[in-house]
């Protein structure tokens, strides 16, 4: 187990180092960063002063060394627009993004797990056709279009939920459904297919032959065997929900990292864009590390593979 943990930990550190290098150099490969941060009307003197203030007049290797030292010390720079530390802004918005992502994730699990299991165990039935239709709709309907339909139907016409903001628990419903709907199709198909294959497995046939109840068979035999593929897709879904919430947060005026990133891009706040991108990359790598540890916990054979 220790060898497995060390191996996965080292892989995560390498990925973080790669993300850090990519985030630093990618923007600079597009040209002079000042072109993104200063207006076109800025004269040469203003450009030189700003370049010196940002440390952009230093050699590239020295800029990277200073950036690396700052990241290791927990300093992700300062926002040009807000005149505040980037990490402080990110931590201020992070709870709202986590709340939205977890709510969307809960929506996916609450719909996909029971419906996928029932559809896979009863192929050809009404629930199976409903699951296939819902999975297809989740695959083809764009999230931003669904978000606007939800606002039109449930906020404007019926008045059941607020159309924007984060003022009450009801404010979370529409953005969570809009964000989670696209991930619902993948999870639904996975659970249905896994249940369909497990339906003919020897261990379920043996459990039925012993006279066990359907509920006991599902909880004690079927679900534990479906856990690994579900955890695998669930970790990817959660990663997408964190990174894909930019436009959903913007549509619903949700005060999270996505809307902060959107504003930073519009304001050409290059240090804040860089800090948010790096923070999300590190967060996603840590999520994948936790998913790897969950695999090993669910199936100890993975540690020795």
């Amino acid at each position: 187990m220790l060898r497995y943990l060390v191996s996965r930990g080292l892989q995560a550190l390498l990925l973080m180092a790669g993300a850090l290098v990519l985030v630093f150099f990618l923007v600079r490969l597009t040209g002079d960063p000042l072109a993104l941060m200063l207006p076109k009307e800025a004269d040469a003197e203003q450009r030189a002063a700003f370049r010196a203030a940002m440390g952009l007049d230093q050699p590239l290797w020295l800029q990277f060394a200073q950036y690396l030292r700052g990241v290791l010390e927990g300093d992700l720079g300062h926002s040009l627009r807000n005149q505040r530390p980037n990490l402080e802004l990110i931590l201020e918005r992070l709870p709202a993004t986590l709340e939205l992502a977890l709510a969307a994730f809960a929506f996916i699990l609450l719909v996909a797990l029971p419906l996928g299991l029932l559809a896979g165990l009863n192929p050809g039935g009404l629930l199976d056709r409903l699951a296939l239709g819902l999975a297809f709709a989740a695959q083809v309907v764009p999230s931003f279009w669904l978000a606007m339909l939800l606002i039109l139907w449930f906020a404007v016409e019926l008045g059941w939920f607020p159309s924007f903001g984060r003022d009450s628990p009801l404010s979370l419903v529409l953005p969570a459904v809009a964000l989670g709907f696209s991930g619902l199709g993948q999870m639904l198909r996975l659970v249905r297919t896994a249940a369909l294959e497990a339906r003919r497995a020897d261990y379920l046939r043996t459990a039925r032959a012993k006279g066990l109840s359907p509920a006991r068979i599902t909880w004690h035999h079927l679900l534990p065997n479906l856990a690994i593929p579900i955890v695998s897709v669930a970790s990817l879904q959660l990663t997408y929900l964190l990174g894909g919430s930019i436009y959903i947060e913007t549509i619903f005026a949700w005060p999270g990292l996505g809307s902060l990133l959107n504003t930073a891009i519009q304001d050409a706040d290059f240090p804040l864009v860089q800090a948010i991108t790096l923070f999300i990359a590190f967060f996603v790598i840590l999520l994948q590390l936790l998913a790897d540890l969950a695999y090993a916990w669910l199936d100890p054979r993975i540690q020795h593979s």
Side-chain angles (χ1 to χ4, degrees):
M1 183 65 178
L2 181 61
R3 184 179 175 185
Y4 179 81
L5 290 176
V6 171
S7 170
R8 289 297 182 270
L10 289 176
Q11 287 181 10
L13 287 177
L14 286 175
L15 285 173
M16 286 182 174
L20 193 145
V21 172
L22 276 178
V23 168
F24 178 81
F25 286 101
L26 208 56
V27 174
R28 286 158 177 82
L29 289 176
T30 62
D32 188 356
L34 289 186
L36 299 174
M37 293 184 277
L38 286 181
K40 294 179 181 178
E41 297 78 16
D43 56 30
E45 186 177 348
Q46 290 173 321
R47 287 178 178 276
F50 191 78
R51 190 184 297 277
M54 295 292 295
L56 296 174
D57 56 342
Q58 303 289 334
L60 195 58
W61 68 267
L62 185 56
Q63 292 180 42
F64 179 72
Q66 291 172 345
Y67 179 69
L68 177 60
R69 187 180 64 184
V71 171
L72 292 176
E73 292 175 351
D75 180 10
L76 298 182
H78 280 66
S79 165
L80 298 175
R81 178 76 173 179
N82 300 281
Q83 294 298 313
R84 291 174 59 191
N86 289 326
L87 187 58
E88 187 178 306
L89 289 168
I90 290 171
L91 294 179
E92 191 175 279
R93 297 292 192 98
L94 182 62
T97 293
L98 287 179
E99 181 183 329
L100 177 58
L102 291 176
F105 189 60
F107 165 72
I108 292 174
L109 293 182
L110 287 174
V111 176
L113 284 182
L115 185 56
L117 281 175
L118 290 172
L121 295 175
N122 303 282
L126 180 62
L127 288 176
D128 189 29
R129 288 195 288 271
L130 175 64
L132 289 174
L134 193 57
F136 178 75
Q139 194 171 17
V140 299
V141 174
S143 295
F144 67 89
W145 188 65
L146 176 65
M148 289 186 282
L149 288 181
L150 291 175
I151 290 174
L152 183 63
W153 291 339
F154 295 103
V156 178
E157 296 292 336
L158 299 174
W160 290 355
F161 303 102
S163 59
F164 62 88
R166 188 184 174 223
D167 301 323
S168 67
L170 288 178
S171 307
L172 186 60
V173 176
L174 296 186
V177 172
L179 180 61
F181 190 72
S182 60
L184 179 62
Q186 185 184 16
M187 182 64 82
L188 197 49
R189 286 197 307 276
L190 171 78
V191 176
R192 177 187 176 274
T193 304
L196 198 59
E197 292 175 355
R199 184 168 166 264
R200 294 184 289 270
D202 291 338
Y203 67 90
L204 283 191
R205 195 176 299 122
T206 304
R208 291 192 196 98
K210 288 181 178 178
L212 299 180
S213 67
R216 186 176 176 81
I217 291 174
T218 300
W219 284 105
H220 293 274
H221 297 277
L222 182 57
L223 282 179
N225 284 281
L226 301 184
I228 289 182
I230 290 175
V231 168
S232 175
V233 172
S235 64
L236 295 176
Q237 290 287 347
L238 196 52
T239 301
Y240 164 77
L241 295 174
L242 286 170
S245 62
I246 296 175
Y247 49 91
I248 294 297
E249 287 187 5
T250 304
I251 292 172
F252 287 96
W254 189 261
L257 275 181
S259 58
L260 180 65
L261 179 60
N262 183 51
T263 306
I265 293 172
Q266 290 177 354
D267 295 339
D269 194 343
F270 159 70
L272 183 54
V273 172
Q274 187 173 259
I276 295 174
T277 307
L278 186 66
F279 187 87
I280 291 178
F282 281 8
F283 202 85
V284 167
I285 291 170
L286 287 176
L287 276 181
Q288 292 303 314
L289 177 62
L290 290 177
D292 285 343
L293 298 181
Y295 299 155
W297 178 68
L298 290 169
D299 187 354
R301 292 173 299 178
I302 292 178
Q303 302 171 27
H304 306 291
S305 63

